[in-house]
Amino acid sequence: MINANKVNLIINNNNLTVNSIIKSTQQDCLPTSWFNIIRVKDSGDLSDKYQDICQNHYSDNKWILMINPEHNSLDQLSIMGKISPEKILKVNANKVNVSLDHIKNTLLKGTCSAMILSNAHYNEAELKEISRCAAQGKTQCIFLQTTTTQTLKKLH
C-alpha cells in the first residue's frame, strides 16, 4: 500500500533564488486582490452581478462608482428593493471624459468602495497599472465584460 502523504522527495535548494521569488509573488498577488474581471453572459446575469457587487461593497462612508452601467438592470434592481441607489454613482463615458488617468486618480483617492467598469478595453500594461492603483487606494476595481456567443465559439 502506498501512502500518498509520505512521498519521498529530493529537494535541491541550490538553484533557487528566494529573493526574486518573494518579490515577484508580492508584486503579482497584491494587485489581483483589488482587481477582478468578471464575464457576464446576458442581462439576467448582469443584474445578478450588479446585485452581488452592491451588496458586497456597500459602505456607509463610500460610493460605488459605475462607469457605463446598463441602466435597465440597475433600475430594475432598485425598483425591486435589491440595491440601494443612494450610494451608487453612475457615469456615462459618452457624456463625461473618463480617461485612464481619471480612473487611476479615482482609484488612488480611495473614496469609492468599488469601481465597476462595463465593457472597457485596455491593454495588459494599462490593466496592471489600474490594478496597482486599486491596490494602493484600497478600492475594489471590477471589469464587467459581456461575453457574446461569437466570443464563446472562439474559445472552444
Side-chain angles (χ1 to χ4, degrees):
M1 184 161 114
I2 298 174
N3 185 347
N5 293 328
K6 292 186 178 184
V7 177
N8 292 326
L9 297 176
I10 299 172
I11 299 175
N12 182 358
N13 290 333
N14 295 336
N15 295 328
L16 297 178
T17 55
V18 175
N19 290 338
S20 65
I21 293 171
I22 291 172
K23 287 178 185 175
S24 66
T25 303
Q26 287 174 341
Q27 289 171 351
D28 293 341
C29 291
L30 178 64
T32 57
S33 64
W34 292 99
F35 178 79
N36 202 358
I37 297 175
I38 299 174
R39 306 280 181 221
V40 179
K41 298 173 193 160
D42 54 27
S43 61
D45 190 28
L46 181 63
S47 293
D48 292 341
K49 301 297 186 219
Y50 280 154
Q51 183 178 351
D52 291 343
I53 291 167
C54 290
Q55 289 174 347
N56 290 335
H57 298 288
Y58 180 81
S59 170
D60 289 329
N61 304 339
K62 294 186 176 189
W63 297 94
I64 295 174
L65 177 61
M66 294 188 171
I67 299 174
N68 290 332
E70 208 293 318
H71 296 287
N72 293 338
S73 295
L74 281 176
D75 292 342
Q76 182 183 15
L77 289 171
S78 178
I79 290 168
M80 294 170 64
K82 293 189 176 187
I83 62 170
S84 178
E86 316 70 67
K87 287 291 184 176
I88 297 173
L89 291 173
K90 298 184 279 185
V91 175
N92 187 340
N94 295 334
K95 297 178 181 178
V96 177
N97 181 14
V98 183
S99 68
L100 180 60
D101 287 336
H102 288 127
I103 291 169
K104 291 184 336 187
N105 287 335
T106 302
L107 289 169
L108 288 169
K109 286 180 185 176
T111 55
C112 298
S113 60
M115 177 188 287
I116 296 98
L117 293 106
S118 297
N119 293 317
H121 302 284
Y122 294 99
N123 65 39
E124 189 174 337
E126 291 168 329
L127 290 176
K128 284 182 181 179
E129 186 64 16
I130 289 170
S131 178
R132 184 194 64 77
C133 292
Q136 191 173 341
K138 296 185 173 143
T139 302
Q140 186 67 46
C141 185
I142 302 165
F143 275 60
L144 294 177
Q145 296 291 324
T146 304
T147 309
T148 62
T149 40
Q150 290 179 344
T151 307
L152 289 174
K153 287 178 184 177
K154 287 180 185 177
L155 294 176
H156 294 295

